[in-house]
Amino acid sequence: MKWSDLPLKPSARVLRQFAAAWLTLFLAVGVYRYIARGQHQVGIAVGVMAVLVGLAGLIRPAAVRWLFVGATVLAFPIGWVVSQIMLAIMFYGIITPLALLFRMRGRDLLALKPAPKRPTFWTAKQTPGDMRGYFRQY
């Protein structure tokens, strides 16, 4: 994903979904703070914020556009960095050691190494006996 892929002009449906998610998440956080943690003032404040923003977005989606776009723009660099780190970990932590192990063991599934007994790299393919096999791919 790149900066130009960010939804800077989201549809009303997307904004309503965002408002519903906002209402659900922050209302749950407010209830948790109020009941489980005993932080009554914080729980009420978070719950009121959830209801105000959530209902405003459900009734008039354009009212939460700035919040949606702002959250998207703020979250984009975090997501980009995390995805790059995860790709690097997978490549350098999993694929590279596995490739080195295969190379040390002499694995050559594509038969790319020249063999003195073979005059060519050609591999004969067996043709299927029944043509109906073409229609049963799995």
Side-chain angles (χ1 to χ4, degrees):
M1 184 175 225
K2 50 190 176 208
W3 283 105
S4 61
D5 295 336
L6 291 179
L8 299 179
K9 294 181 181 178
S11 66
R13 181 177 184 217
V14 170
L15 292 173
R16 279 194 180 96
Q17 289 173 349
F18 174 73
W22 178 281
L23 179 66
T24 305
L25 176 72
F26 282 102
L27 199 56
V29 169
V31 168
Y32 171 74
R33 290 283 189 151
Y34 188 86
I35 294 174
R37 304 284 302 255
Q39 299 172 338
H40 301 295
Q41 293 175 341
V42 174
I44 291 172
V46 171
V48 167
M49 179 187 66
V51 170
L52 288 176
V53 173
L55 289 180
L58 289 173
I59 294 169
R60 189 166 174 251
V64 294
R65 181 183 174 274
W66 64 272
L67 187 61
F68 175 81
V69 171
T72 303
V73 168
L74 284 176
F76 175 78
I78 298 169
W80 185 83
V81 168
V82 168
S83 67
Q84 297 300 315
I85 290 172
M86 291 306 297
L87 284 171
I89 288 172
M90 286 185 345
F91 184 77
Y92 293 111
I94 297 172
I95 295 173
T96 301
L98 193 62
L100 291 174
L101 176 71
F102 287 163
R103 181 168 284 206
M104 288 187 329
R105 294 189 66 207
R107 182 177 174 177
D108 186 26
L109 289 181
L110 295 178
L112 297 176
K113 292 181 183 176
K117 300 175 187 174
R118 293 189 308 191
T120 180
F121 282 103
W122 180 263
T123 304
K125 180 186 177 298
Q126 296 178 350
T127 57
D130 186 13
M131 292 296 191
R132 288 180 291 183
Y134 287 117
F135 297 105
R136 293 188 310 263
Q137 295 179 12
Y138 303 103

